[in-house]
Amino acid sequence: MNARSLFARLALALSLFPAALAAAQGQPPPKKPSLRADPFQRAAHEGIGYPKWRIDRVFLLVPAQQYVAQFLATFKEFPPSQKVGTFSMDQVMEMLSQGAGK
């Protein structure tokens, strides 16, 4: 698998992740407006059939959940090579003050 297809699969998985997470938590599916078809994102407020259109496409969330689950399962076989960076502003300020004192 080349880097381009891996990046495309990652982008798709990450774009589907919020919908799968919302469905798993029992929340309504998130709105995903098409900026080409609705550049001002007014369809949800002005479109009469928009709620029905969203309900008619809820079936797409199940394959999305499976796709995201497959992607996340690859992290077991290929774990991240670096430790996740976690820091807070207090830690940053402490490091800066320690560096200034040297």
Side-chain angles (χ1 to χ4, degrees):
M1 178 181 308
N2 63 16
R4 179 178 245 169
S5 65
L6 180 64
F7 180 74
R9 290 180 68 188
L10 175 64
L12 178 63
L14 291 177
S15 70
L16 296 175
F17 185 71
L21 183 63
Q25 294 176 346
Q27 298 174 355
K31 296 178 182 177
K32 292 276 203 169
S34 169
L35 294 179
R36 288 185 180 174
D38 188 18
F40 299 108
Q41 300 179 14
R42 297 190 325 208
H45 307 291
E46 297 176 359
I48 293 174
Y50 187 73
K52 183 182 182 313
W53 182 88
R54 284 181 61 206
I55 296 299
D56 289 344
R57 282 152 181 82
V58 166
F59 69 92
L60 294 172
L61 292 177
V62 174
Q65 289 174 346
Q66 293 171 353
Y67 189 80
V68 170
Q70 288 176 353
F71 175 74
L72 293 176
T74 62
F75 286 109
K76 291 180 183 175
E77 187 176 348
F78 303 102
S81 60
Q82 294 181 347
K83 184 180 172 186
V84 179
T86 59
F87 60 91
S88 66
M89 287 307 293
D90 294 332
Q91 291 172 340
V92 171
M93 296 305 291
E94 183 180 327
M95 288 172 50
L96 287 175
S97 65
Q98 288 176 357
K102 288 184 177 179

